[in-house]
């Protein structure tokens, strides 16, 4: 700029001075004589001066800022003279000119300083305020005073902006001095003063309520006799207050201040409305609308930062908002300002949203509905649709949350009507809220509201069929996405769609789609009262329409896809129908069985029924056989729709993404098809299905689902024995997962891929890598609680079971330890936990009647929502696979009865599903179990059933059903028998309680007494040929070569971590005999390991189960242990006892280099833990082949503080060997059964006496079989003479096979020894010393008159010898004898007692039974007498 004092500059200043003189002369003239010349003169003076400054600025030459301001204000004094001389120029433009000049002055100064503001104030006072200050100047009128007040308002606003509030107050004070006689102007200046204070206080966060209150009170008491000039000045002052509110940078007010502010706005709006009535002005209208808008802005800001959620003050705020909202929208219509209208609507919505967040739903609704009512009257076309949607959305949501569901639905209907033709582009939000509101109604039990469809609500409002179909289709789609049970809602919506697309409709393709959808709905719920058609009828009708639909280039893909969907659901509906029929049939048969049981219970109870358990199992087997009404031919016919479905989709996916109704739905349906093929054992078709789905998902960019399909493909390839191909599929899955990182942390699909990797490493023998992957999945899956994660965890546990089943050479102890540290101690434990988890999922998803024991809740029904259908078939398939492995694991651990029970449960499920491959596999497993039990006839029957299943000739009439002739006329309504379960919880809800479900049959828990008696004895088995023939030796060889011992050691080490009862005892026995007397401790340890293997497996499982219960609740862990009952103690004590029991019963895994040291050290400690006074005698039959009934007895005697004694006792040369005695025992029991059915008393007694005689003879022969070694069964005498006599033999025993320990035990039983016993001992010791017989005879004679040994004997017998009544042989009749299944059971029982003496006392008390002449195995039970043998 040019700021030099040039000649032109001087001339301008001189001109201004001249105008000042002229102004003074004009101001002093008499106004009563003013003429037109006066007005022309002042106007021209102003114009010349003002325009000259403007032109100079345009030319680039300008005055200094202060000079320029002075000149401009001087020019405006002429304008002010004109204003004060006539009312014709009202309203004045002087304030605007002043504002322009001051703004220019501030800009020229580069911002105000104190000097600049002082100069401005002085100039205003000199040029504008002199008339106000000089009261003697009578030329001023009210009009000029009002104009000068407005000038002050403009300048104050600019000063406040620059933070010169004090100077602004000074100007107002100066202006106030000249308006004493003008009330309106004094009020205006007072309001302006409040505005200045408010702007300052709001900027600094100070108290403002008083200023607002005073301002409102001033307006409320306003006089109505003011002039127009005064009114105008007052409005300007009010606008200054409004500006102060806006410019104060307020982040919200407290409620008190807000109410005061709103009170002022109310008064201000009334003033504006009054002004508009007198004379309408567009500018005033804008101010009115802006004040309404400003009220909502301030209300929102204040509510946003305030914590007030209720009270009288808030009610008053709501009342203001509701009162002004409608008025604001009505007044805005006169402005024709679309942008302002949008802002106003947003402001109201923001307040509604704040109220909604505070759960003030009725208040929020009362405000939101005002806007919606205005939009219903006339929705401005300029208002964006998303804003219209937001208004109605808030209204609906307020009604929903307030429980006014009918009202919410009504407003959704109005919403759709307001959208009109735009609804097709914006139907997602209103229809979504319609569906969610209906779900709310269902949860609230409002069936009338719940059953309304969108078509019911709209009525005749929408006549366009296409629009109505689109709305209903969206409604149907959203119902399917809900997590709750919306079956009835889907049914009613489909009724609408089928009514629109009636039988004569041209939309045949759409009608076919709706029929297929209807089949899905009817498939899982009873709609018999609303339609005469079954789910299969709907699918047949759909397929008939699709087959008759002409194929064109446009509809080819869609038509093929719809045919595939309809075929898929024809298969599923048929399968579900058969499944439901099977469940109903089973229930009826069980009801009949229960009735028969009740009738039998009314009959006299027989003394004993030894075949009760077999009868029960026979009834279960018969239920299975009754369900096997299908074969290979029937399954082939049943699978025809599924095969057609695969063929259609195979053809459809030959190129890019097909033009189908919903590509993602098609891909998901392919996954469903593959899951069904997997269930039916058709793995190649399942593999193709998953690969088709993976390709389509990948084309759609769905990384998670494509990865899942690839993982499933890998699993099938692994099952088929192709780990290398499985690796290829797994890499594809990993690539899909890495292409789109998950934002939700670890996904279940990524962990599924990790589990597949662990299984592939297992198949390839890469155990270290596999265990590493497995551990990661175990840790991660334990942290999530949803059905998908539970299914993954179940699979993980099964994989852990497979790893734990590996021998110690393949899986070393360190890797095994990394798995067992998670509580998975054995393959059985891991497998059982996985199966139990699967059964809990079955119970949760499907309810009772599908698998396991019936629970208390019988009303649960399957809900077809989301992915539940595919999850159902995957789950059932997993249950069958897991059950098969469970049967195998249980069978290998010797739990044949439990394995059979598990097998029967799985078979019942497989027959209901008519899955032929699983039925055949399970029947073969059952046949093997029956063989192990010796039930050859039952085994043959099972194999016959397998042959029938594989039959291709017999037709069960289960082929494709013909198209139904039933009329498709579904009727709306509600279910005939609504489920009490209501809606399922949300997917994201915590499902951690699922682990407490008890869907699985309770694992049988045997008490110690039962373990001791061993229950019913297994039948004798014939010799097995060609088994381990490398170990076959003649009797003259007891196996003393090193190669054989090495093989036995290797075999023992491979199996000892989880030993199979069928083989491991035999290996232990052979290895013990190979060691003989060279290592008595190892020999005895091996003998102890060979006995009670099945019992130890069982107790290990049970202890793990108790640990699991203890973790859930420490209140009661004693149940289920029977004789191993735990007293009520603290959780910590119970945990310690369980840990000790686990250590006792578990199978210790050791490194090959530490055998047998580790086990011998443990065994030695176990001997130290035996209570004093207890003699443990272990007896077993030995043979060359596993399960061979040999004729040689292996007898081991154990006592605390004594070296173990083990002897072999051949019985083949006896009059009757042990094998013959066992046969005789079977004949006695068979005779007992026959005698028990004799009704005539004399014949019954004759039969009893004959049996007793046979038993008497058998007892003599049993004792004879043991000969002198029966002395090992007796407790050691406490007579001190015994030690004296034994010392006499020290020299004579050197070089013999008899140790001092053996001799001591024999001499301890001197009262029972006969001369043949002594001769047998001498002949067997291999001693040539002639003095030995004499010494022996002398020692026996010396001890014969002493008391017989006192103590307690515990017999541990193998599965053959436990059938014989050893307690009743002559040498044990006077002794206290108890049976235990294993040494570990003795130790476990002892550990749960406070001391050893209490155990001995407990065992002694157990003999308090009725004395019988003969107590034989199960005979006392047969005789109907009590037995307390543990």
């Amino acid at each position: 700029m040019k700021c030099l004092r040039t000649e032109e500059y001087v001339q301008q200043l001189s001109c201004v001075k001249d105008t000042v003189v002229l102004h003074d002369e004009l101001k002093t003239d008499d106004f009563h004589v003013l003429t037109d010349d006066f007005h022309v003169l002042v106007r021209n003076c102003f114009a010349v001066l003002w325009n000259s400054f403007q032109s100079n600025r345009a030319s680039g030459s300008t005055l200094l800022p202060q000079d320029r301001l002075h000149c401009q204000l001087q020019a405006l004094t002429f304008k002010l003279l004109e204003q004060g001389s006539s009312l014709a120029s009202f309203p004045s433009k002087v304030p605007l000119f002043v504002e322009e000049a001051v703004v220019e002055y501030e800009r020229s100064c580069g911002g105000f300083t104190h000097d600049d503001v002082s100069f401005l104030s002085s100039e205003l006072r000199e040029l504008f305020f002199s008339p106000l200050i000089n009261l003697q100047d009578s030329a001023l009128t009210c009009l000029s005073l009002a104009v000068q007040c407005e000038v002050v308002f403009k300048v104050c606003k600019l000063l406040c902006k620059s933070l010169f509030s004090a100077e602004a107050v000074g100007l107002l004070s100066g202006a106030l001095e000249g308006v004493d006689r003008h009330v309106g102007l004094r009020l205006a200046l007072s309001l302006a003063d409040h505005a200045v204070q408010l702007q300052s206080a709001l900027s600094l966060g100070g108290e403002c309520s008083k200023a607002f209150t005073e301002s409102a009170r001033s307006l409320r008491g306003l006089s109505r006799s003011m002039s127009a000039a005064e009114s105008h000045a007052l409005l300007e002052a009010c606008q200054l207050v409004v500006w102060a509110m806006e410019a104060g940078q307020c982040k919200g007010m407290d409620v008190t201040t807000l109410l005061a502010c709103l009170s002022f706005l109310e008064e201000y709006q009334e003033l504006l409305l009054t002004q508009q009535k007198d004379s309408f002005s567009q500018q005033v209208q804008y101010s009115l609308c802006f004040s309404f808008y400003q009220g909502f802005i301030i209300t929102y800001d204040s509510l946003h930062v305030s914590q007030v959620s209720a009270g009288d003050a808030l009610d008053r705020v709501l009342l203001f908002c509701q009162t002004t909202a409608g008025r604001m929208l009505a007044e805005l219509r006169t402005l024709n300002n679309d942008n302002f209208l949008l802002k106003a609507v947003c402001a109201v919505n923001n307040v509604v949203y704040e109220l909604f967040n505070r759960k003030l739903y009725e208040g929020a609704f009362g405000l939101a509905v005002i806007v919606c009512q205005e939009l219903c009257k006339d929705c401005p076309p300029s208002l964006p649709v998303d804003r219209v949607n937001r208004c109605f959305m808030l209204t609906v949501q307020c009604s929903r949350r307030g429980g006014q569901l009918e009202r919410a639905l009504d407003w959704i209907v109005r919403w759709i009507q307001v959208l009109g033709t735009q609804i097709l582009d914006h139907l997602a939000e209103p229809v979504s809220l319609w569906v969610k509101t209906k779900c709310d109604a269902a949860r609230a039990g409002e069936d009338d509201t719940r059953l309304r469809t969108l078509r019911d609500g709209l009525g005749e409002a929408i006549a366009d069929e296409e629009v109505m179909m689109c709305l209903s289709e969206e409604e149907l789609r959203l119902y399917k996405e809900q997590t709750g049970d919306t079956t009835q809602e889907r049914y009613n919506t489909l009724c609408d769609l089928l009514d629109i697309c009636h039988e004569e409709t041209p939309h045949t393709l759409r009608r076919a789609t709706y029929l297929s959808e209807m089949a899905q709905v009817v498939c899982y719920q009873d709609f018999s009262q609303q339609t005469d058609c079954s789910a299969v009828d709907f699918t047949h009708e759909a397929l008939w329409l699709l087959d008759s639909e002409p194929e064109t280039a446009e509809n080819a893909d869609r038509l093929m896809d719809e045919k595939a969907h309809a075929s898929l659901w024809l298969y599923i509906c048929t399968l579900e129908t058969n499944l439901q029929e099977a469940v109903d049939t089973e229930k009826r048969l069980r009801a009949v069985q229960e009735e028969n049981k009740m009738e039998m219970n009314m009959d006299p109870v027989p003394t004993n029924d030894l075949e009760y358990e077999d009868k029960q199992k026979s009834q279960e087997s018969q239920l299975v056989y009754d369900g096997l009404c299908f074969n290979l031919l029937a399954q082939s016919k049943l699978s025809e729709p599924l095969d057609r479905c695969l063929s259609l989709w195979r053809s459809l996916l030959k190129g890019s993404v097909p033009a189908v109704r919903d590509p993602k739905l098609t891909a998901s349906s392919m996954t469903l098809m593959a899951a069904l093929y997997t269930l039916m054992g058709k793995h190649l078709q399942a593999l193709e299905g998953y690969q088709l789905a993976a390709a389509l998902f990948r084309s759609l960019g769905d990384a998670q689902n494509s990865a899942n399909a690839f993982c499933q493909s890998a699993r099938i390839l692994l099952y088929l024995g192709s780990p290398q191909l499985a690796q290829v599929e797994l890499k594809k899955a990993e690539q899909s997962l890495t292409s789109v990182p998950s934002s939700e942390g670890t996904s279940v699909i990524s962990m599924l891929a990790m589990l597949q990797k662990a299984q592939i490493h297992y198949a390839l023998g890469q155990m270290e890598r596999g265990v590493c992957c497995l551990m990661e999945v175990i840790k991660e899956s334990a942290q999530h609680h949803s059905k998908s994660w539970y299914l993954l965890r179940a699979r993980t546990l099964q994989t852990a079971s497979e790893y734990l089943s590996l021998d110690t050479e393949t899986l070393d102890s360190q890797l095994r330890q990394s798995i067992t540290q998670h509580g998975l101690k054995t393959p059985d434990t891991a497998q059982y936990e996985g199966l139990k988890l699967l059964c809990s999922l079955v119970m949760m998803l499907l309810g009772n009647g599908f698998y396991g024991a019936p629970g208390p809740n019988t009303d649960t029904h399957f809900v077809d929502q989301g992915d539940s259908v595919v999850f159902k078939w995957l789950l059932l398939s997993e249950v069958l696979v897991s059950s098969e492995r469970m049967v195998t694991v249980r069978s290998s651990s010797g739990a044949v009865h439990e394995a059979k029970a598990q097998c029967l449960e799985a078979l019942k499920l497989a027959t209901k599903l008519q899955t032929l491959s699983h039925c055949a596999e399970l029947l073969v497993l059952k046949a093997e179990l029956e063989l192990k039990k010796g039930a050859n006839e039952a085994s043959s029957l099972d194999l016959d059933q397998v042959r029938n299943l594989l039959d291709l000739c017999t037709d069960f009439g289960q082929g494709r059903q013909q198209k139904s002739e039933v009329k498709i006329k579904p009727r709306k309504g509600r279910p005939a028998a609504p489920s009490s379960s209501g809606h399922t919880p949300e997917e994201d809800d915590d499902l951690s309680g699922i682990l407490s479900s008890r869907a699985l049959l309770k694992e049988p828990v045997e008490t110690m007494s039962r373990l001791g008696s061993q229950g019913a004895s297994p039948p004798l088995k014939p010799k097995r040929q060609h088994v381990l023939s490398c170990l076959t030796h003649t009797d003259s060889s007891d196996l003393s070569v090193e190669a054989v011992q090495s093989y036995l050691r290797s075999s023992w080490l491979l199996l000892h971590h989880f030993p199979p009862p069928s083989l491991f005892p035999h290996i232990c026995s052979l290895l013990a005999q190979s060691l003989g007397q060279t290592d008595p401790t190892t020999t005895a340890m091996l003998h102890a390991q060979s006995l009670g293997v099945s019992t130890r497996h069982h107790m290990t499982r049970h202890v793990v189960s108790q640990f699991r219960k203890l973790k859930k609740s420490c209140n009661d862990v004693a149940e289920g242990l029977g004789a191993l009952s735990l007293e009520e103690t603290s959780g910590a004590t119970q945990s310690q006892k369980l840990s000790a029991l686990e250590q006792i019963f578990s199978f210790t895994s050791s490194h090959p280099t530490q055998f047998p040291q580790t086990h011998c050290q443990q065994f030695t400690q176990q001997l130290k833990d035996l209570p004093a006074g207890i003699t443990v005698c272990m007896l077993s039959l030995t043979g060359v082949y596993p399960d061979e009934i040999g004729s040689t007895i292996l007898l081991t005697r154990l006592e605390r503080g004594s070296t173990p004694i083990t002897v072999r006792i051949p019985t083949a040369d006896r009059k009757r060997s042990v094998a013959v005695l066992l046969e005789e025992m079977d004949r006695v029991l068979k005779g007992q059964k026959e005698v028990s059915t004799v009704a005539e008393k004399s014949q019954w007694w004759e039969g009893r006496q004959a049996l007793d005689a046979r038993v008497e003879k058998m007892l003599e022969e049993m004792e004879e079989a043991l000969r002198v070694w029966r002395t090992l069964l007796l407790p050691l005498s406490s007579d001190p003479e015994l030690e004296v006599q034994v010392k006499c033999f020290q020299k004579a025993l050197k070089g013999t096979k008899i140790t001092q320990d053996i001799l001591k035990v024999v001499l301890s039983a001197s009262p029972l020894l006969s001369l043949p016993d002594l001769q047998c001992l001498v002949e067997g010791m291999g001693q040539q010393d002639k003095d030995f017989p004499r010494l022996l005879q002398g020692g026996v004679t010396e001890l014969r008159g002493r008391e017989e040994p006192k103590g307690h004997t515990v017999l541990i017998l193998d599965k053959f010898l436990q059938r014989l009544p050893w307690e009743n042989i002559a040498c044990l009749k006077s002794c206290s004898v108890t049976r235990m299944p294993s040494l570990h059971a003795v130790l476990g029982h002892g550990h749960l007692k406070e001391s050893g003496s209490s155990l001995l006392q407990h065992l002694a008390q157990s003999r308090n039974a009725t004395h019988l002449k003969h107590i034989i195995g199960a005979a006392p039970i047969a005789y109907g007498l009590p037995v307390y043998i543990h």
Side-chain angles (χ1 to χ4, degrees), residues 248-266:
Q249 298 179 350
C250 177
K251 298 300 181 182
M253 306 174 181
D254 59 79
V255 177
T256 303
T257 304
L258 176 61
L259 283 173
C261 175
L262 296 179
S263 178
F264 163 75
L265 288 176
E266 273 188 308

Side-chain angles (χ1 to χ4, degrees), residues 45-280:
C45 289
F46 166 74
V48 170
L49 289 173
W50 188 265
N51 291 333
S52 65
F53 297 134
Q54 297 295 331
S55 61
N56 288 336
R57 183 175 62 180
S59 64
S61 175
T62 183
L63 300 174
L64 292 173
Q66 292 184 354
D67 292 338
R68 177 178 177 81
L69 177 64
H70 173 76
C71 295
Q72 287 177 316
L73 293 179
Q74 186 65 55
L76 286 172
T77 58
F78 287 97
K79 194 70 175 175
L80 191 61
L81 281 176
E82 181 189 12
Q83 191 73 53
S85 65
S86 173
L87 294 174
S89 58
F90 177 79
S92 173
K93 294 185 179 181
V94 170
L96 297 176
F97 283 118
V98 172
E99 183 179 30
E100 182 181 346
V102 175
V103 168
E104 177 65 23
Y105 172 58
E106 180 184 20
R107 183 169 60 249
S108 301
C109 294
F112 281 147
T113 65
H114 282 285
D115 293 339
D116 298 328
V117 173
S118 297
F119 176 77
L120 172 63
S121 299
S122 65
E123 287 293 305
L124 287 174
R125 287 189 177 93
E126 179 182 350
L127 299 175
F128 285 85
F129 286 6
S130 55
L132 298 176
I133 297 171
N134 186 5
L135 298 179
Q136 284 76 24
D137 189 354
S138 59
L140 291 177
T141 64
C142 180
L143 179 60
S144 61
L145 287 173
V147 172
Q148 292 177 36
C149 286
E150 292 180 24
V151 168
V152 173
F153 299 159
K154 295 293 185 182
V155 175
C156 286
K157 177 179 177 181
L158 295 173
L159 289 176
C160 288
K161 281 185 178 180
S162 299
L163 304 181
F164 287 95
S165 300
E167 286 72 7
V169 172
L171 282 176
L172 290 170
S173 299
L176 190 62
E177 295 176 3
V179 294
D180 290 340
R181 292 176 296 176
H182 302 278
V183 178
L185 295 179
R186 289 185 61 84
L187 180 58
L189 288 169
S190 176
L191 283 174
D193 185 66
H194 290 317
V196 173
Q197 296 175 28
L198 282 171
Q199 194 273 341
S200 177
L202 288 171
S203 299
L204 299 175
E207 201 278 331
C208 304
S209 60
K210 184 177 180 181
F212 279 123
T213 302
E214 291 296 328
S215 300
R217 184 178 295 117
S218 300
L219 292 177
R220 196 175 298 120
L222 192 64
S223 171
R224 295 186 176 273
S225 61
M226 291 187 302
S227 65
E230 288 180 302
S231 298
H232 193 272
L234 191 61
L235 288 177
E236 289 293 321
C238 290
Q239 288 180 8
L240 187 60
V241 176
V242 173
W243 170 85
M245 290 190 299
E246 184 180 13
Q249 298 179 350
C250 177
K251 298 300 181 182
M253 306 174 181
D254 59 79
V255 177
T256 303
T257 304
L258 176 61
L259 283 173
C261 175
L262 296 179
S263 178
F264 163 75
L265 288 176
E266 273 188 308
E267 298 301 329
Y268 175 46
Q269 289 155 10
E270 288 298 325
L271 180 63
L272 290 171
L273 288 169
T274 302
Q275 183 78 7
Q276 289 294 74
K277 289 178 182 178
D278 296 338
S279 176
F280 182 83

Side-chain angles (χ1 to χ4, degrees), residues 273-292:
L273 288 169
T274 302
Q275 183 78 7
Q276 289 294 74
K277 289 178 182 178
D278 296 338
S279 176
F280 182 83
S281 166
Q282 195 75 1
Q283 183 178 358
V284 174
Q285 185 70 12
Y286 185 90
S287 298
L288 175 63
C289 294
F290 186 81
S291 69
F292 286 132

